[in-house]
Amino acid sequence: MPGLGPLVHEEAACLPWSQWSPIPYGVQDKLHQATSFQAAGDGICEEGFRCVSRISKFGTGHWGQVDVGKEEIADAEGSAPVYEWGCPFQGEWSENKYESGPGDDQCTDEGDCICIARGSPDMHTELEGGHEKIIGKFETQSGKAHLGHEPQLIQVIPHYSLRTKDGAPFDIDNPHSGLGTVKEFDTEEWLLKY
């Protein structure tokens, strides 16, 4: 009958209503919610969080295409793990989602990719040799069911925004002319492109 709404799918077969009943309002979204880490597939960060990935697994330079041949940098003993903005997602670096699985260009273990809050009241910046690190206790999305957001001490290598001209030239006489796109780069690439 029209107007009944979507019917229950196989993954919701264990729910208390029959397979011919409409799914109650709001339940459909909860059936497919993503967590911070999933055994296989894609992870999506909640609003207000960004994805960071461990440099001991992926190396540095998390922009553009994922390069699995980069040198992995081990975490210093006794210090917080080091992450860099961006996570691997379908062969490219992404700001708010990641792909988990067994591949070298995927997040394999629980700590390889995490979603962290975009800011923290308990953080500071250190600059060493022209390289910035943000060190702090960031709220992270939990990969474990129903634990909410857990604070975690980590070090993060940030990226810097830069407007890039992609394709067509800017036309000063056209008010609808493209201004390019804003992209994020690590320190070295940002300095080269600037």
Side-chain angles (χ1 to χ4, degrees):
M1 288 202 233
L4 282 181
L7 298 178
V8 174
H9 296 21
E10 287 179 24
E11 58 267 336
C14 63
L15 298 175
W17 47 85
S18 76
Q19 80 180 72
W20 299 109
S21 298
I23 296 176
Y25 180 76
V27 173
Q28 181 69 27
D29 296 335
K30 292 179 182 174
L31 293 175
H32 302 289
Q33 277 185 338
T35 61
S36 174
F37 185 85
Q38 298 169 343
D42 302 336
I44 299 173
C45 297
E46 293 177 13
E47 186 175 337
F49 287 76
R50 76 174 306 129
C51 197
V52 295
S53 54
R54 193 184 294 248
I55 66 169
S56 62
K57 160 96 178 179
F58 299 105
T60 58
H62 299 182
W63 59 271
Q65 300 291 320
V66 175
D67 179 9
V68 293
K70 288 197 175 192
E71 178 184 351
E72 298 172 359
I73 301 168
D75 291 332
E77 190 159 332
S79 69
V82 181
Y83 290 83
E84 183 175 344
W85 283 3
C87 290
F89 182 74
Q90 298 179 352
E92 294 187 1
W93 293 104
S94 174
E95 177 183 330
N96 61 355
K97 52 190 166 186
Y98 61 88
E99 186 174 38
S100 56
D104 288 340
D105 64 342
Q106 296 175 323
C107 304
T108 308
D109 298 325
E110 176 79 24
D112 288 346
C113 300
I114 58 175
C115 296
I116 64 169
R118 292 184 177 266
S120 169
D122 185 15
M123 68 179 194
H124 66 278
T125 300
E126 291 182 4
L127 187 63
E128 184 179 318
H131 296 278
E132 180 181 13
K133 273 189 192 171
I134 302 169
I135 301 166
K137 212 168 208 180
F138 289 88
E139 219 175 283
T140 61
Q141 282 180 236
S142 173
K144 303 172 197 99
H146 310 298
L147 289 183
H149 301 135
E150 303 171 346
Q152 184 176 347
L153 179 65
I154 61 172
Q155 301 179 53
V156 180
I157 299 171
H159 285 187
Y160 307 94
S161 299
L162 183 68
R163 186 174 299 278
T164 60
K165 287 194 46 70
D166 300 328
F170 175 69
D171 180 4
I172 197 165
D173 295 324
N174 181 358
H176 305 290
S177 180
L179 296 174
T181 57
V182 176
K183 295 181 180 178
E184 291 181 344
F185 301 100
D186 64 0
T187 306
E188 287 82 18
E189 192 63 24
W190 188 89
L191 288 170
L192 288 172
K193 291 186 179 292
Y194 188 75

Coordinates of all heavy atoms in Angstrom, one line a residue, residues 91-180:
G91 N 42.0 5.2 -2.4 CA 43.2 5.6 -3.1 C 43.6 7.0 -3.0 O 44.6 7.5 -3.5
E92 N 42.8 7.8 -2.3 CA 43.1 9.3 -2.1 C 43.0 9.6 -0.6 O 42.4 8.8 0.2 CB 42.2 10.2 -2.9 CG 42.3 10.0 -4.4 CD 41.5 11.0 -5.1 OE1 40.8 11.9 -4.5 OE2 41.5 11.0 -6.3
W93 N 43.6 10.7 -0.2 CA 43.5 11.1 1.2 C 42.3 11.9 1.4 O 41.9 12.8 0.6 CB 44.8 12.0 1.6 CG 46.0 11.1 1.5 CD1 47.0 11.2 0.6 CD2 46.4 10.2 2.5 NE1 48.0 10.3 0.9 CE2 47.6 9.6 2.1 CE3 45.9 9.7 3.7 CZ2 48.3 8.7 2.8 CZ3 46.6 8.7 4.4 CH2 47.8 8.2 4.0
S94 N 41.5 11.6 2.5 CA 40.3 12.3 2.8 C 40.3 12.9 4.1 O 41.0 12.5 5.0 CB 39.2 11.2 2.7 OG 37.9 11.8 3.1
E95 N 39.5 14.0 4.3 CA 39.5 14.8 5.5 C 38.6 14.1 6.6 O 38.8 14.2 7.8 CB 39.0 16.2 5.2 CG 38.8 17.1 6.4 CD 38.3 18.4 6.0 OE1 38.5 18.9 4.9 OE2 37.6 19.0 6.9
N96 N 37.5 13.5 6.1 CA 36.5 13.0 7.1 C 36.0 11.6 6.9 O 35.0 11.2 7.5 CB 35.3 14.0 7.2 CG 34.6 14.0 5.8 OD1 35.1 13.4 4.8 ND2 33.5 14.7 5.8
K97 N 36.7 10.8 6.1 CA 36.3 9.4 6.0 C 37.6 8.5 5.7 O 38.6 9.0 5.3 CB 35.3 9.2 4.9 CG 35.6 9.8 3.6 CD 34.3 9.8 2.7 CE 34.6 10.7 1.5 NZ 33.4 10.8 0.7
Y98 N 37.4 7.2 5.9 CA 38.5 6.3 5.7 C 38.0 5.0 5.2 O 36.8 4.7 5.4 CB 39.4 6.2 6.9 CG 38.7 5.6 8.1 CD1 38.6 4.2 8.3 CD2 38.1 6.4 9.0 CE1 37.9 3.7 9.4 CE2 37.4 5.9 10.1 CZ 37.3 4.5 10.3 OH 36.6 4.0 11.3
E99 N 38.9 4.2 4.7 CA 38.6 2.9 4.2 C 39.4 1.9 5.1 O 40.6 2.0 5.2 CB 39.0 2.8 2.8 CG 38.6 1.5 2.1 CD 38.9 1.5 0.6 OE1 39.9 2.1 0.2 OE2 38.1 1.0 -0.2
S100 N 38.7 0.9 5.6 CA 39.4 -0.1 6.4 C 39.4 -1.4 5.7 O 38.5 -1.7 4.9 CB 38.8 -0.3 7.8 OG 37.4 -0.6 7.7
G101 N 40.4 -2.2 5.9 CA 40.6 -3.5 5.3 C 42.0 -4.0 5.4 O 42.8 -3.4 6.0
P102 N 42.3 -5.1 4.6 CA 43.6 -5.7 4.8 C 44.7 -5.1 3.9 O 45.9 -5.4 4.0 CB 43.4 -7.1 4.3 CG 42.3 -7.0 3.3 CD 41.4 -5.9 3.8
G103 N 44.4 -4.2 3.0 CA 45.4 -3.6 2.1 C 46.4 -2.7 2.7 O 46.1 -2.1 3.8
D104 N 47.5 -2.5 2.0 CA 48.5 -1.5 2.5 C 48.0 -0.1 2.5 O 48.6 0.7 3.3 CB 49.8 -1.6 1.6 CG 50.5 -2.9 1.8 OD1 50.3 -3.6 2.9 OD2 51.3 -3.3 1.0
D105 N 47.1 0.2 1.7 CA 46.5 1.6 1.6 C 45.2 1.7 2.3 O 44.4 2.6 2.1 CB 46.4 2.0 0.1 CG 45.3 1.2 -0.6 OD1 45.0 0.0 -0.1 OD2 44.9 1.6 -1.7
Q106 N 45.0 0.8 3.3 CA 43.8 0.8 4.1 C 44.1 0.8 5.6 O 45.2 0.3 6.0 CB 42.9 -0.4 3.7 CG 42.4 -0.4 2.3 CD 41.6 -1.6 2.0 OE1 42.0 -2.7 2.4 NE2 40.5 -1.5 1.2
C107 N 43.2 1.2 6.4 CA 43.4 1.2 7.8 C 43.1 -0.3 8.3 O 42.0 -0.8 8.2 CB 42.4 2.1 8.5 SG 42.6 3.8 7.9
T108 N 44.2 -0.9 8.8 CA 44.1 -2.3 9.2 C 43.8 -2.5 10.6 O 42.9 -3.3 11.0 CB 45.4 -3.0 8.8 OG1 45.8 -2.7 7.5 CG2 45.3 -4.5 9.0
D109 N 44.5 -1.8 11.5 CA 44.3 -2.0 12.9 C 43.5 -0.9 13.5 O 43.3 0.2 12.9 CB 45.7 -2.0 13.6 CG 46.5 -3.2 13.2 OD1 45.9 -4.3 12.9 OD2 47.7 -3.1 13.0
E110 N 43.0 -1.1 14.7 CA 42.1 -0.1 15.4 C 42.7 1.3 15.5 O 42.0 2.3 15.3 CB 41.8 -0.6 16.8 CG 41.0 0.4 17.7 CD 39.5 0.4 17.4 OE1 39.0 -0.6 16.8 OE2 38.8 1.4 17.6
G111 N 44.0 1.4 15.7 CA 44.6 2.7 15.9 C 45.2 3.4 14.6 O 45.7 4.5 14.6
D112 N 45.1 2.7 13.4 CA 45.6 3.3 12.2 C 44.9 4.6 11.8 O 45.6 5.5 11.4 CB 45.5 2.2 11.1 CG 46.5 1.1 11.2 OD1 47.4 1.2 12.0 OD2 46.3 0.1 10.5
C113 N 43.6 4.6 11.9 CA 42.9 5.8 11.5 C 41.9 6.1 12.6 O 41.2 5.2 13.0 CB 42.1 5.6 10.2 SG 43.2 5.2 8.8
I114 N 41.8 7.3 13.1 CA 40.8 7.7 14.1 C 40.2 9.0 13.7 O 40.8 9.8 13.0 CB 41.5 7.8 15.5 CG1 42.6 8.8 15.5 CG2 41.9 6.4 16.0 CD1 43.2 9.0 17.0
C115 N 39.0 9.3 14.2 CA 38.4 10.5 14.1 C 38.6 11.3 15.3 O 38.2 10.8 16.4 CB 36.9 10.3 13.8 SG 36.6 9.5 12.2
I116 N 39.1 12.5 15.2 CA 39.4 13.3 16.4 C 38.6 14.6 16.3 O 38.3 15.1 15.2 CB 40.9 13.7 16.6 CG1 41.4 14.5 15.5 CG2 41.7 12.4 16.8 CD1 42.8 15.1 15.7
A117 N 38.3 15.2 17.5 CA 37.7 16.5 17.5 C 38.6 17.6 16.8 O 39.8 17.5 16.9 CB 37.4 17.0 18.9
R118 N 38.0 18.6 16.2 CA 38.8 19.6 15.5 C 39.5 20.5 16.4 O 40.4 21.2 16.0 CB 37.9 20.4 14.5 CG 37.4 19.5 13.4 CD 36.5 20.3 12.4 NE 36.1 19.5 11.3 CZ 36.8 19.3 10.2 NH1 37.9 20.0 10.0 NH2 36.3 18.5 9.2
G119 N 39.2 20.5 17.7 CA 40.0 21.3 18.6 C 39.9 20.6 20.0 O 39.2 19.7 20.2
S120 N 40.7 21.1 20.9 CA 40.7 20.6 22.3 C 41.1 21.7 23.3 O 42.0 22.5 22.9 CB 41.7 19.5 22.4 OG 42.0 19.1 23.7
P121 N 40.5 21.8 24.4 CA 41.0 22.8 25.4 C 42.3 22.4 26.1 O 42.9 23.2 26.7 CB 39.8 22.7 26.5 CG 39.2 21.4 26.3 CD 39.4 21.0 24.9
D122 N 42.7 21.2 25.8 CA 44.0 20.7 26.4 C 45.0 20.3 25.3 O 45.3 19.2 25.1 CB 43.7 19.5 27.3 CG 44.9 19.0 28.1 OD1 45.9 19.8 28.1 OD2 44.9 17.9 28.6
M123 N 45.5 21.4 24.6 CA 46.5 21.1 23.5 C 47.4 22.3 23.4 O 47.1 23.4 23.9 CB 45.8 20.9 22.2 CG 45.1 22.1 21.6 SD 44.3 21.6 20.0 CE 44.0 23.2 19.4
H124 N 48.6 22.0 22.8 CA 49.5 23.1 22.5 C 50.3 22.7 21.2 O 50.2 21.6 20.8 CB 50.5 23.3 23.7 CG 51.4 22.1 23.9 ND1 51.0 21.0 24.6 CD2 52.7 21.9 23.5 CE1 52.0 20.1 24.7 NE2 53.1 20.6 24.0
T125 N 51.0 23.7 20.7 CA 51.7 23.5 19.4 C 53.2 23.6 19.7 O 53.6 24.5 20.5 CB 51.3 24.7 18.4 OG1 49.9 24.6 18.2 CG2 52.0 24.5 17.1
E126 N 53.9 22.7 19.1 CA 55.4 22.8 19.1 C 55.9 22.9 17.7 O 55.4 22.3 16.8 CB 55.9 21.5 19.8 CG 55.6 21.4 21.2 CD 56.2 20.2 21.9 OE1 56.9 19.4 21.2 OE2 55.9 20.0 23.1
L127 N 56.9 23.7 17.5 CA 57.5 24.0 16.2 C 59.0 23.6 16.4 O 59.7 24.1 17.2 CB 57.4 25.4 15.8 CG 57.9 25.8 14.5 CD1 57.0 25.1 13.4 CD2 57.8 27.3 14.3
E128 N 59.4 22.6 15.5 CA 60.8 22.1 15.6 C 61.3 22.0 14.1 O 60.7 21.2 13.3 CB 60.9 20.8 16.3 CG 62.3 20.2 16.4 CD 62.3 18.9 17.2 OE1 61.5 18.7 18.1 OE2 63.0 18.0 16.7
G129 N 62.3 22.8 13.8 CA 62.9 22.7 12.4 C 61.9 23.1 11.4 O 61.9 22.5 10.3
G130 N 61.0 24.0 11.7 CA 60.0 24.4 10.7 C 58.8 23.5 10.5 O 57.9 23.7 9.7
H131 N 58.7 22.4 11.4 CA 57.6 21.5 11.3 C 56.8 21.6 12.6 O 57.3 21.5 13.7 CB 58.1 20.1 11.2 CG 58.9 19.8 9.9 ND1 58.2 19.6 8.7 CD2 60.2 19.9 9.6 CE1 59.1 19.4 7.8 NE2 60.3 19.6 8.3
E132 N 55.5 21.8 12.4 CA 54.6 22.0 13.5 C 53.9 20.7 13.9 O 53.6 19.9 13.1 CB 53.5 23.0 13.1 CG 52.5 23.3 14.1 CD 51.4 24.3 13.6 OE1 51.3 24.5 12.4 OE2 50.6 24.8 14.5
K133 N 53.7 20.5 15.2 CA 53.0 19.4 15.8 C 52.0 19.9 16.8 O 52.4 20.8 17.6 CB 53.9 18.4 16.5 CG 54.5 17.4 15.6 CD 55.2 16.3 16.4 CE 56.0 15.4 15.5 NZ 56.9 14.6 16.2
I134 N 50.8 19.5 16.8 CA 49.8 19.8 17.8 C 49.8 18.6 18.7 O 49.5 17.5 18.3 CB 48.5 20.1 17.1 CG1 48.6 21.2 16.1 CG2 47.4 20.4 18.2 CD1 47.3 21.4 15.3
I135 N 50.0 18.9 20.0 CA 50.0 17.8 21.0 C 48.9 18.1 22.0 O 48.8 19.2 22.5 CB 51.4 17.8 21.7 CG1 52.5 17.5 20.7 CG2 51.4 16.7 22.8 CD1 53.9 17.8 21.2
G136 N 48.1 17.1 22.2 CA 47.0 17.3 23.2 C 46.1 16.1 23.4 O 46.3 15.1 22.8
K137 N 45.2 16.3 24.2 CA 44.2 15.3 24.6 C 42.9 15.6 23.8 O 42.2 16.5 24.1 CB 43.9 15.3 26.1 CG 43.6 14.0 26.6 CD 43.6 14.0 28.1 CE 44.0 12.6 28.6 NZ 44.0 12.5 30.0
F138 N 42.8 14.8 22.7 CA 41.6 15.1 21.8 C 40.5 14.1 22.0 O 40.8 12.9 22.3 CB 42.1 14.9 20.3 CG 43.0 16.0 19.8 CD1 44.4 15.9 20.0 CD2 42.5 17.1 19.2 CE1 45.2 16.9 19.6 CE2 43.3 18.1 18.8 CZ 44.6 18.0 18.9
E139 N 39.3 14.5 21.9 CA 38.2 13.7 22.0 C 38.2 12.8 20.7 O 38.4 13.3 19.6 CB 36.9 14.5 22.0 CG 35.8 14.0 22.9 CD 34.7 15.0 22.9 OE1 34.8 16.0 23.6 OE2 33.7 14.7 22.3
T140 N 38.0 11.5 20.8 CA 38.0 10.6 19.6 C 36.7 9.9 19.6 O 36.1 9.6 20.6 CB 39.2 9.6 19.7 OG1 39.0 8.8 20.8 CG2 40.5 10.3 19.7
Q141 N 36.3 9.6 18.4 CA 35.1 8.7 18.2 C 35.5 7.3 18.6 O 36.6 6.8 18.2 CB 34.6 8.7 16.8 CG 33.8 9.9 16.4 CD 33.4 9.9 15.0 OE1 33.7 10.7 14.2 NE2 32.7 8.8 14.6
S142 N 34.7 6.6 19.3 CA 35.0 5.3 19.8 C 34.6 4.3 18.7 O 33.6 4.3 18.1 CB 34.3 5.0 21.1 OG 34.5 3.6 21.4
G143 N 35.5 3.3 18.5 CA 35.2 2.2 17.6 C 34.4 1.1 18.3 O 33.9 0.2 17.7
K144 N 34.3 1.2 19.7 CA 33.6 0.3 20.5 C 32.2 0.7 20.6 O 31.9 1.9 20.7 CB 34.3 0.1 21.8 CG 35.7 -0.3 21.7 CD 36.4 -0.2 23.1 CE 37.9 -0.2 22.9 NZ 38.5 1.1 23.0
A145 N 31.3 -0.2 20.6 CA 29.8 0.2 20.7 C 29.5 0.9 21.9 O 29.9 0.6 23.0 CB 29.0 -1.1 20.6
H146 N 28.8 2.0 21.8 CA 28.1 2.8 22.8 C 29.0 3.4 23.9 O 28.6 3.6 25.0 CB 27.0 1.9 23.5 CG 26.1 1.3 22.6 ND1 25.3 2.0 21.7 CD2 25.9 -0.1 22.3 CE1 24.6 1.1 21.0 NE2 25.0 -0.1 21.3
L147 N 30.3 3.6 23.6 CA 31.2 4.2 24.6 C 31.3 5.7 24.4 O 31.9 6.4 25.2 CB 32.6 3.6 24.5 CG 32.7 2.2 25.0 CD1 34.1 1.7 25.0 CD2 32.2 2.1 26.4
G148 N 30.7 6.3 23.3 CA 30.8 7.7 23.1 C 32.1 8.2 22.7 O 32.8 7.5 22.0
H149 N 32.5 9.4 23.1 CA 33.8 10.0 22.8 C 34.8 9.8 23.9 O 34.5 10.2 25.0 CB 33.6 11.4 22.4 CG 32.6 11.6 21.3 ND1 31.6 12.6 21.3 CD2 32.5 11.0 20.1 CE1 30.9 12.5 20.2 NE2 31.4 11.5 19.4
E150 N 35.9 9.3 23.6 CA 37.0 9.0 24.6 C 38.1 10.0 24.3 O 38.6 10.2 23.2 CB 37.5 7.6 24.4 CG 36.5 6.5 24.5 CD 37.0 5.2 24.2 OE1 38.1 5.1 23.6 OE2 36.3 4.2 24.5
P151 N 38.6 10.7 25.4 CA 39.8 11.5 25.2 C 41.1 10.7 25.0 O 41.2 9.7 25.7 CB 39.9 12.4 26.5 CG 39.1 11.6 27.5 CD 38.1 10.7 26.7
Q152 N 41.9 11.1 24.1 CA 43.2 10.3 23.9 C 44.3 11.3 23.6 O 44.2 12.3 22.9 CB 42.9 9.5 22.6 CG 44.1 8.6 22.3 CD 43.8 7.7 21.1 OE1 42.6 7.5 20.7 NE2 44.8 7.0 20.6
L153 N 45.5 11.1 24.3 CA 46.6 11.9 24.1 C 47.3 11.5 22.8 O 47.8 10.4 22.6 CB 47.6 11.8 25.3 CG 48.9 12.6 25.2 CD1 48.6 14.1 25.2 CD2 49.8 12.2 26.3
I154 N 47.4 12.4 21.8 CA 48.1 12.2 20.6 C 48.8 13.4 20.1 O 48.6 14.5 20.6 CB 47.1 11.7 19.5 CG1 46.0 12.8 19.2 CG2 46.4 10.4 19.8 CD1 45.2 12.5 18.0
Q155 N 49.7 13.2 19.1 CA 50.4 14.3 18.4 C 49.9 14.3 17.0 O 49.7 13.3 16.4 CB 51.9 14.0 18.4 CG 52.5 13.9 19.8 CD 54.0 13.6 19.7 OE1 54.7 14.4 19.0 NE2 54.4 12.6 20.3
V156 N 49.6 15.5 16.5 CA 49.0 15.6 15.1 C 49.8 16.6 14.3 O 50.2 17.7 14.7 CB 47.5 16.1 15.2 CG1 46.9 16.2 13.8 CG2 46.7 15.2 16.1
I157 N 50.2 16.1 13.1 CA 50.8 17.0 12.1 C 49.7 17.7 11.3 O 49.0 17.0 10.6 CB 51.8 16.2 11.2 CG1 52.9 15.5 12.1 CG2 52.4 17.1 10.1 CD1 53.7 14.5 11.3
P158 N 49.6 19.0 11.4 CA 48.5 19.7 10.7 C 48.8 19.9 9.2 O 49.9 19.8 8.8 CB 48.3 21.0 11.4 CG 49.7 21.3 11.9 CD 50.3 19.9 12.2
H159 N 47.8 20.3 8.4 CA 47.9 20.7 7.1 C 47.5 22.2 7.0 O 46.9 22.7 7.9 CB 47.0 19.9 6.1 CG 47.6 18.5 5.9 ND1 47.0 17.6 5.0 CD2 48.6 17.8 6.4 CE1 47.7 16.5 5.0 NE2 48.7 16.6 5.9
Y160 N 47.8 22.8 5.9 CA 47.6 24.2 5.7 C 46.8 24.4 4.4 O 47.1 23.8 3.4 CB 48.9 25.0 5.6 CG 49.7 24.7 6.8 CD1 50.7 23.7 6.8 CD2 49.5 25.3 8.0 CE1 51.4 23.4 7.9 CE2 50.2 25.0 9.2 CZ 51.2 24.0 9.1 OH 51.9 23.7 10.2
S161 N 45.8 25.3 4.4 CA 44.9 25.6 3.3 C 45.6 26.5 2.3 O 46.3 27.4 2.6 CB 43.6 26.2 3.7 OG 43.0 25.3 4.6
L162 N 45.3 26.2 1.0 CA 45.8 27.1 -0.1 C 44.8 27.0 -1.3 O 44.4 25.9 -1.6 CB 47.2 26.6 -0.5 CG 47.9 27.4 -1.6 CD1 48.3 28.8 -1.1 CD2 49.1 26.6 -2.1
R163 N 44.4 28.1 -1.8 CA 43.5 28.1 -3.0 C 44.4 27.8 -4.2 O 45.4 28.4 -4.5 CB 42.8 29.5 -3.2 CG 41.8 29.5 -4.3 CD 41.0 30.8 -4.4 NE 40.3 31.0 -3.1 CZ 39.1 30.5 -2.9 NH1 38.5 29.7 -3.7 NH2 38.5 30.8 -1.7
T164 N 43.9 26.8 -5.0 CA 44.7 26.4 -6.2 C 43.8 26.6 -7.4 O 42.6 26.5 -7.4 CB 45.0 24.9 -6.1 OG1 43.8 24.1 -6.0 CG2 45.9 24.6 -4.9
K165 N 44.5 27.0 -8.5 CA 43.8 27.2 -9.8 C 43.8 25.8 -10.5 O 44.8 25.3 -10.9 CB 44.4 28.2 -10.6 CG 44.2 29.6 -10.0 CD 44.6 30.7 -11.0 CE 44.1 30.6 -12.4 NZ 42.7 30.8 -12.6
D166 N 42.6 25.3 -10.7 CA 42.4 24.1 -11.4 C 41.7 24.3 -12.8 O 40.5 24.6 -12.8 CB 41.6 23.1 -10.6 CG 42.2 22.7 -9.3 OD1 43.5 22.7 -9.2 OD2 41.5 22.5 -8.3
G167 N 42.5 24.2 -13.8 CA 41.8 24.3 -15.2 C 41.7 25.7 -15.7 O 42.7 26.4 -15.9
A168 N 40.5 26.2 -15.9 CA 40.2 27.4 -16.6 C 40.8 28.7 -15.9 O 40.8 28.7 -14.7 CB 38.7 27.6 -16.8
P169 N 41.3 29.6 -16.7 CA 41.8 30.8 -16.1 C 40.7 31.7 -15.5 O 39.6 31.6 -15.9 CB 42.5 31.5 -17.3 CG 41.7 31.0 -18.5 CD 41.3 29.6 -18.2
F170 N 41.1 32.5 -14.6 CA 40.2 33.4 -13.9 C 39.9 34.6 -14.9 O 40.7 35.2 -15.5 CB 40.8 34.0 -12.6 CG 39.9 35.1 -12.0 CD1 38.7 34.7 -11.4 CD2 40.3 36.4 -12.0 CE1 37.9 35.7 -10.8 CE2 39.5 37.4 -11.4 CZ 38.3 37.0 -10.8
D171 N 38.6 34.8 -15.1 CA 38.1 35.9 -16.0 C 37.6 37.0 -15.2 O 36.5 36.9 -14.6 CB 37.0 35.3 -16.9 CG 36.5 36.4 -17.9 OD1 37.0 37.5 -18.0 OD2 35.6 36.0 -18.7
I172 N 38.3 38.2 -15.1 CA 37.9 39.3 -14.3 C 36.6 39.9 -14.7 O 35.9 40.5 -13.9 CB 39.0 40.4 -14.3 CG1 38.8 41.3 -13.1 CG2 39.1 41.1 -15.6 CD1 40.0 42.1 -12.7
D173 N 36.2 39.7 -16.0 CA 34.9 40.3 -16.5 C 33.7 39.4 -16.3 O 32.6 39.8 -16.5 CB 35.1 40.6 -18.0 CG 36.1 41.6 -18.3 OD1 36.2 42.6 -17.5 OD2 36.8 41.5 -19.3
N174 N 34.0 38.2 -15.8 CA 32.9 37.3 -15.5 C 32.7 37.1 -14.0 O 33.5 36.5 -13.3 CB 33.2 35.9 -16.2 CG 32.1 34.9 -16.0 OD1 31.1 35.1 -15.3 ND2 32.3 33.7 -16.5
P175 N 31.6 37.6 -13.5 CA 31.4 37.5 -12.0 C 31.2 36.0 -11.5 O 31.3 35.7 -10.4 CB 30.1 38.3 -11.7 CG 29.4 38.3 -13.0 CD 30.4 38.3 -14.1
H176 N 31.0 35.1 -12.5 CA 30.8 33.7 -12.1 C 32.0 32.9 -12.4 O 31.9 31.6 -12.4 CB 29.5 33.1 -12.9 CG 28.3 33.9 -12.6 ND1 27.7 33.9 -11.4 CD2 27.6 34.8 -13.4 CE1 26.6 34.7 -11.4 NE2 26.6 35.3 -12.7
S177 N 33.1 33.5 -12.7 CA 34.3 32.8 -13.1 C 34.8 32.1 -11.8 O 34.7 32.5 -10.7 CB 35.4 33.8 -13.5 OG 36.6 33.2 -13.8
G178 N 35.3 30.9 -12.1 CA 35.8 30.1 -10.9 C 37.1 30.7 -10.3 O 37.9 31.3 -11.0
L179 N 37.2 30.5 -9.0 CA 38.3 31.0 -8.2 C 39.3 29.9 -7.9 O 40.2 30.1 -7.1 CB 37.8 31.7 -7.0 CG 37.0 33.0 -7.2 CD1 36.5 33.5 -5.8 CD2 37.8 34.1 -7.9
G180 N 39.0 28.7 -8.4 CA 39.8 27.6 -8.0 C 39.2 26.9 -6.8 O 38.1 27.2 -6.4

